[in-house]
Amino acid sequence: MYGFSRNGGGLLPRLALCAAALLGASVAHAAYPERPVRVIVPFAAGGGADIVARLVFKGVSEQLGKAFIIDNRGGAGGIIGTDAVAKAEPDGYTLLLGQSGPNAINPSVYSKLPYDARKDFAPVTQLTRYPYVVAVKKQLPVDNLKELIALAKRQPGTLTVSTAGQGSSAHLAIELFMRQAGISINAVPYKGAGPALLDVVGGTVDMTFGDAASASKQAQAKNVKAVAVTGAKRSPLLPDVPTVAEAGVPGYEASAWHGVLAPRGTPEPIIRTLQAAIVKVLADPALKARLAEDGIETVGSSPEEFNRALLAEIDKWHTVVVEANIKLE
């Protein structure tokens, strides 16, 4: 409540000071960014997250007139880079290229994390979503998902499925599939999606949930059989291949994603400036076409929509992790 001072000061001078302070803060935020912005990608250069970050933030840099510098900080399943952003100054000059693994799955598969995925970040926007392809070796006597499920039920625990790593988003998609389909398949962890897919091509393992770009190429070359995609809709790379839900497991959906997050406490005007610029970049037909080559769909959500989606993802994968008893240290 405003009051009057005994030395002649009063309500009007105080209001003037408050207005000046608010105007100064507004001008400071309106000028954002005044210097280069660092975007931490918690994975090595050259991977999918790195490619998305460089494509998107090249456009954002052009929109906002300052450099957005990609800083690759890989290691520990994305934990190192993600934690660096959680502990950064909330001034808009350090951002995170978030992904389903570090931000939605790690909170459940690791007993301890140095950051709180629910509380330590301010969502800006979801950039992308992309499904996995259920690819089986060509020697397996199945031609569609229903036949694969039937075979797994006849031979419980005998089929093998390669994963991109224990606790990875592809691994969780497999665990969710097994539970909803009522089957048991032996999951074999690999160091990455590439080796996991190559051993299906070579016939060493029976199947994998591979990334759409690589798995579709192998399917088109008839090195594997693509029997379903895990997303909510079909992939443009494999338009004749049904979704898992269409092919016999109603309600199933598993997609990975990228998004932009800032440290908690980042001023809302900065969040809004970033979101508006990023959404404009994501609407560019050339960018959409480039990402579609890898089976990636652009999103461009509001901060509120992204926050709701992220919290729902954390809850969804927590249930799967608990039921499958997956733990990493």
Side-chain angles (χ1 to χ4, degrees):
M1 184 175 179
Y2 293 103
F4 294 91
S5 65
R6 292 184 178 179
N7 61 7
L11 177 60
L12 290 178
R14 292 183 182 220
L15 285 174
L17 287 173
C18 290
L22 289 171
L23 178 61
S26 176
V27 169
H29 291 154
Y32 172 87
E34 297 179 296
R35 62 179 191 271
V37 178
R38 183 177 48 155
V39 181
I40 293 181
V41 177
F43 298 99
D50 180 63
I51 291 170
V52 168
R54 292 179 189 277
L55 287 170
V56 170
F57 282 100
K58 178 180 182 294
V60 174
S61 178
E62 294 168 356
Q63 287 284 325
L64 297 180
K66 292 295 181 201
F68 281 71
I69 300 166
I70 304 303
D71 181 355
N72 296 95
R73 295 201 191 181
I79 293 173
I80 293 172
T82 303
D83 184 49
V85 176
K87 292 177 171 55
E89 192 71 25
D91 56 7
Y93 290 94
T94 304
L95 304 175
L96 175 68
L97 195 288
Q99 202 168 12
S100 41
N103 295 98
I105 292 174
N106 281 358
S108 295
V109 298
Y110 285 92
S111 56
K112 291 184 180 179
L113 281 179
Y115 58 86
D116 187 327
R118 293 178 180 271
K119 297 179 180 179
D120 288 349
F121 301 96
V124 178
T125 186
Q126 184 177 342
L127 299 175
T128 70
R129 70 170 64 90
Y130 53 99
Y132 296 104
V133 173
V134 183
V136 304
K137 67 181 182 181
K138 58 186 179 182
Q139 301 93 335
L140 203 68
V142 302
D143 291 315
N144 55 57
L145 193 72
K146 285 186 178 180
E147 291 177 357
L148 174 65
I149 293 171
L151 178 62
K153 287 183 176 180
R154 288 197 305 272
Q155 302 175 11
T158 60
L159 295 181
T160 54
V161 55
S162 56
T163 78
Q166 184 80 351
S168 65
S169 48
H171 178 205
L172 270 290
I174 291 165
E175 293 290 347
L176 179 64
F177 169 68
M178 288 194 289
R179 273 149 187 76
Q180 290 191 212
I183 58 176
S184 175
I185 302 173
N186 291 319
V188 183
Y190 280 69
K191 292 184 177 180
L197 177 60
L198 286 177
D199 268 9
V200 179
V201 173
T204 305
V205 292
D206 295 314
M207 58 181 289
T208 194
F209 279 38
D211 70 83
S214 300
S216 63
K217 289 176 182 176
Q218 294 291 354
Q220 289 158 3
K222 301 192 183 303
N223 293 325
V224 299
K225 291 182 279 190
V227 297
V229 294
T230 66
K233 57 186 179 182
R234 297 189 183 198
S235 169
L237 298 180
L238 295 165
D240 295 329
V241 176
T243 66
V244 172
E246 287 178 313
V249 188
Y252 178 92
E253 190 276 329
S255 298
W257 50 265
H258 304 101
V260 178
L261 300 106
R264 179 183 62 180
T266 300
E268 185 174 344
I270 290 177
I271 297 291
R272 299 293 173 185
T273 296
L274 285 166
Q275 190 267 350
I278 294 168
V279 167
K280 191 170 182 178
V281 171
L282 292 175
D284 178 50
L287 178 70
K288 286 179 175 286
R290 169 61 187 86
L291 293 176
E293 292 174 6
D294 293 333
I296 298 173
E297 174 190 3
T298 59
V299 179
S301 57
S302 70
E304 294 79 11
E305 289 168 338
F306 186 26
N307 186 56
R308 289 193 294 270
L310 177 56
L311 294 177
E313 283 272 295
I314 292 172
D315 290 342
K316 173 180 179 176
W317 295 122
H318 178 73
T319 300
V320 176
V321 166
V322 170
E323 290 179 351
N325 193 29
I326 301 169
K327 283 295 175 187
L328 299 176
E329 298 296 335

